[in-house]
Amino acid sequence: MSFDLPRNVILPVDAVDVRLDSGPHPFALDNAEAIAENWQREVSANPALFDGTVVLLSQLAWRDNRLVGRCHAVNYSTFMLWRKRRENSGAEHAYAHAVLVAGDNALVAIRMGPHTVNAGRVYFAAGSFEPIDFRDGLVDVDFNMIREVREETGLDLSIAERGQRYHALSTNSGTVIFRRYHEPAPADEIARRISAFVAAETDPEIEGPVIIRHAADLPDGLSAHMKPLIEWHFSGKG
């Protein structure tokens, strides 16, 4: 199966069947020495980095509106080297976005904090899948979305209205699985809550909220994968 799905097009997704393999990822085994050397350089440049656990895919395909795949737990140091060697690596990255829609139909994204790997980048609050996001070996996409939004913004989306289905966008840099989450408050009020949460944090992960009010309202620092998602939302699709 390897990686077999259309690229650079938004796909409807009715189910996500991505399973966690207990074995090591071949990329981690084949590049152990380079991973350690690269991590030392990364930490020297940014001492705030933490070598936690994320997952990397070894397979992903789109079949009958379903994403089917296999992934492996790896150290974040492995992920950092993979980002530099992703071409022909036998590995890919998938992550999830809760597309936060305010009561006035504006989108509320975040800008990452200065001490993070993606400092200054704008996207929806999100993080890589971690082993905690799996239930009986199967990824729980909504659990990941709700967890990451809560950790980064303080918002609790567990009772928010959800879009009927997932969608996915796969590019050469990774596959984002996304779903609308609707909050009844206007965007300015949601942004105020996020800003208050960030101000109270000792070491916040994000710099603050970013409101996007229409398809042409693209902020500085917007991550490349975000533009198609913004256009998709304001087109009324999904």
Side-chain angles (χ1 to χ4, degrees), residues 93-203:
H93 184 224
Y95 52 100
H97 272 348
V99 177
L100 181 52
V101 184
D104 51 11
N105 201 44
L107 300 174
V108 183
I110 54 91
R111 187 180 301 277
M112 292 302 293
H115 64 285
T116 63
V117 171
N118 295 319
R121 305 304 293 174
V122 173
Y123 45 84
F124 297 112
S128 297
F129 295 130
E130 300 176 15
I132 194 176
D133 298 319
F134 289 77
R135 300 288 177 270
D136 297 323
L138 183 68
V139 70
D140 186 334
V141 178
D142 287 287
F143 179 86
N144 170 269
M145 292 175 176
I146 292 168
R147 177 179 65 79
E148 291 289 349
V149 169
R150 183 185 293 116
E151 290 176 2
E152 295 185 4
T153 71
L155 300 177
D156 183 4
L157 297 184
S158 61
I159 59 173
E161 179 188 348
R162 304 177 188 180
Q164 185 175 5
R165 72 191 329 175
Y166 303 109
H167 288 78
L169 173 67
S170 186
T171 69
N172 289 336
S173 63
T175 297
V176 57
I177 304 164
F178 57 98
R179 186 180 207 169
R180 285 187 180 99
Y181 274 72
H182 296 271
E183 278 286 306
D188 287 337
E189 169 61 19
I190 295 172
R192 185 197 65 76
R193 293 181 204 162
I194 295 173
S195 294
F197 174 81
V198 172
E201 287 283 280
T202 302
D203 189 21

